[in-house]
Amino acid sequence: MPDPAGHFGPFGGRYVAETLMSALIELEKAYRKAWRSRSFHRELDGLLKNYAGRPTPLYFAERLTEKAGGARIHIKREDLAHTGSHKINNTLGQGLLARRMGKRRIIAETGAGQHGVATATVCARMGIPCEIFMGEEDVRRQSHNVFRMRLLGARVNTVTSGSRTLKDAMNEALRDWVTNVRTTYYLIGSTAGPHPYPEMVRDFQSVIGREALPQFRRAEGKLPTAIVACVGGGSNAMGIFTSFLRYPRVRLYGVEAGGLGLSSGKHGATLSRGKVGVLHGSKSFLLQDANGQILEAHSISAGLDYPGVGPEHAWLKETGRAEYVSVTDAQALSGFSLLSRYEGIQAALESSHAVAFAYRLAKSMRPSETVLLNLSGRGDKDMGILMELPEGGRP
Amino acid sequence: MTAIDAAFRRLRTSGERGLVVYLTAGDPTPAASLRYLRAAADAGADIIEVGVPFSDPTADGPTIEAASRRALSSGMNVPGALELVRRFRGTHATPVVLFGYCNPFLRYGWPSLCEDAREAGVDGFLVVDLPFEERGEALPAIRKAGLDWIPLAAPTSGMARVRAVDRAGSGFLYLISVTGVTGVRKTLPPEVAAWTRKVAKATRLPVAIGFGISSPALAAAATRYADAAVVGSACVKIVERNGRGPRGPAELSRFVRSLKKALR
């Protein structure tokens, strides 16, 4: 748990313009009240079950396990959740909260568009006007999701500043929020941003681990040896890690975007290569130059193409509780292909990073050991990117 | 008493209201930006805010965001901004506030930053995304160097926070006039006057009001209950239009004179 001001060790906190401070304090109060309220949880649980399709299954990946010839691989199927990823867990929670707070408009940033789609979905469900900020580069490479958001009635604002990706979308969302702060709810999609977002998003996503823990015990009669999840801002990873933090023997692996390789300088491996700094309201690791200017990240997956990372991940890295590794664009494509050919599951390119590492890890482990892989989303949105690649991304 | 305190004392004695001019360091080049700073000071700016450019200025509107981009492409950074202030100090005594975002300051390191800033002739710091609650990492170093920490208050702050930031800060209180990002506005909402009056009555620091003040008339109206007006984007627009051109500083000088005239 963070301290009352939202610090995870030296990380986190609230580094925002004064205009937003009272809104964050109001949000924190409303969130604490809702989290204690039975009626809030009744409503949220009902929606998670009947609307989002939870619990998502835990699936034993038999052929992938055989192919790896090492540890037994189980997959938590967040790709089967409504809208195609784990993002719906958080948007339902915050959507209900926004309605309780009487906010008349919801805004959100999105990278891959999964959070944008999940936000637009919840706004449609609740009848609240919705505006999504998305970088021009991401609008291009994830056009499928842009189309979905528009069909859901959301307005998609294309952001043309900076690297035209997730970082810049978040800048614009913050500018909108500071202007319309009295009426607008800012629905952040990752365990990043100022307090209370990292804690709140983690809490809403922690349903993943709360389900996976008993599911895994039923399947294997024990806890997993290792858990693997991809990390951009870090929401799906925190979602599955949280329930297992109290079991120190369970190894936790966060997989960052290695892009074209860490030595190329074109990557999104914030925890592996970043330095401590402040961006988008919290202190964490950042890709930055010697003068404190933020560097552009690179990844084939829009959702991991972010130069920051959630503060709790920074803390888990500092304390050594979790390990952070990276997987390149090319390795992620192999991960996608493996899961597609051996299990008939087409993962999002973000999640494919976790697949690639989980496979490599399982290979190095004993058959008596186990790997729990969090498959955060499905790959339909990435067909355009794959089609543009030579051989359609087939290795 | 700091140079900023002295400036407000002098203003109070003469019965005029102050003018704080914001310019982005290194916009469009370090040399040109020094000419603009000097022009603003010569034309009567009482305090100058020198903006340190940041790659992700989330509290700024398009005008200052574009200025930050121009400045960054001219190679401007924290050391460059300190050098700019040092050169300005060679010719002018006008108090200078270093204005910016946390990360570049944090990377430089607060203790050495404050020492180097004082040595360069900086009088205070205004950090947009370092609210009262997070001041612990910067404030001791700022105080130790004998510099002012300019606190911010917003229309959403509520009086309890306004009083708290007023007590924690020094120099002056930067009062944000409207919710939003920086940028030129044609008018300010009518409730600004009552809000300013309420803040001015409840605080001990001089109050400088900023965000959206773009003309002499607006500056005069906004300072009915405040001690000074901050004019940023409207000045930066002059730099944007003229760039390194020879007429830029003269145009800025005319504008600053007209603002100052309206505040007397």
Side-chain angles (χ1 to χ4, degrees), chain B residues 24-41:
Chain B
T24 302
D27 174 24
T29 64
S33 102
L34 180 61
R35 292 196 289 275
Y36 282 107
L37 290 180
R38 285 176 173 157

Side-chain angles (χ1 to χ4, degrees), chain B:
Chain B
M1 190 169 64
T2 68
I4 295 172
D5 295 336
F8 278 101
R9 180 170 290 193
R10 181 179 53 72
L11 286 164
R12 205 158 286 172
T13 321
S14 65
E16 53 186 282
R17 283 153 296 168
L19 174 64
V20 182
V21 167
Y22 168 95
L23 290 165
T24 302
D27 174 24
T29 64
S33 102
L34 180 61
R35 292 196 289 275
Y36 282 107
L37 290 180
R38 285 176 173 157
D42 287 337
D46 298 293
I47 293 170
I48 295 184
E49 281 180 10
V50 174
V52 177
F54 180 49
S55 52
D56 296 82
T58 52
D60 285 302
T63 303
I64 293 180
E65 192 196 355
S68 305
R69 260 204 311 279
R70 290 192 297 271
L72 286 172
S73 27
S74 84
M76 184 48 66
N77 267 307
V78 176
L82 295 179
E83 179 55 28
L84 183 68
V85 174
R86 188 175 295 119
R87 295 179 64 186
F88 174 74
R89 247 325 141 250
T91 51
H92 291 77
T94 315
V96 167
V97 172
L98 220 51
F99 175 105
Y101 290 79
C102 267
N103 202 52
F105 294 150
L106 196 64
R107 189 101 294 269
Y108 196 100
W110 276 110
S112 46
L113 172 63
C114 292
E115 281 168 34
D116 295 353
R118 181 189 49 194
E119 185 266 324
V122 169
D123 298 286
F125 277 96
L126 195 162
V127 191
V128 210
D129 55 348
L130 190 74
F132 171 69
E133 284 81 353
E134 304 287 354
R135 70 194 184 286
E137 62 191 70
L139 196 57
I142 293 174
R143 289 271 181 271
K144 196 175 162 217
L147 303 175
D148 283 317
W149 182 61
I150 314 299
L152 291 130
T156 48
S157 296
M159 289 315 287
R161 280 186 70 81
V162 169
R163 286 192 200 93
V165 301
D166 174 61
R167 277 195 300 273
S170 62
F172 61 91
L173 178 77
Y174 190 123
L175 186 67
I176 299 169
S177 63
V178 289
T179 59
V181 291
T182 59
V184 168
R185 287 170 177 81
K186 283 202 177 72
T187 56
L188 288 176
E191 64 268 21
V192 170
W195 154 241
T196 313
R197 188 180 190 182
K198 205 170 156 193
V199 170
K201 275 191 170 166
T203 52
R204 66 184 175 94
L205 293 175
V207 172
I209 182 166
F211 276 45
I213 300 173
S214 57
S215 66
L218 264 186
T223 49
R224 193 164 153 210
Y225 300 107
D227 302 283
V230 187
V231 182
S233 295
C235 296
V236 171
K237 270 185 177 297
I238 294 175
V239 180
E240 183 181 273
R241 267 203 305 278
N242 292 279
R244 289 185 293 171
R247 282 196 291 272
E251 188 184 338
L252 179 66
S253 169
R254 278 196 300 280
F255 181 57
V256 169
R257 259 180 246 282
S258 69
L259 289 166
K260 193 58 207 175
K261 195 174 158 202
L263 294 170
R264 281 205 175 95

Side-chain angles (χ1 to χ4, degrees), chain A residues 7 13-19 21-22 161 167 171 175 178-179 182 275-278 283 288 290-294, chain B residues 53-58 60 65 72 77 103-104 107 128-129 131 133-134 137 152 154-157 161 179-180:
Chain A
H7 297 101
R14 236 173 218 160
Y15 296 84
V16 295
E18 174 62 24
T19 310
M21 283 304 291
S22 53
S161 58
K167 163 179 87 82
N171 288 346
R175 289 185 182 116
V178 82
T179 307
R182 289 189 174 101
K275 291 198 173 68
V276 176
V278 169
K283 188 184 277 183
Q288 55 178 316
N291 288 305
Q293 307 296 344
I294 309 304
Chain B
F54 180 49
S55 52
D56 296 82
T58 52
D60 285 302
E65 192 196 355
L72 286 172
N77 267 307
N103 202 52
R107 189 101 294 269
V128 210
D129 55 348
E133 284 81 353
E134 304 287 354
E137 62 191 70
L152 291 130
T156 48
S157 296
R161 280 186 70 81
T179 59

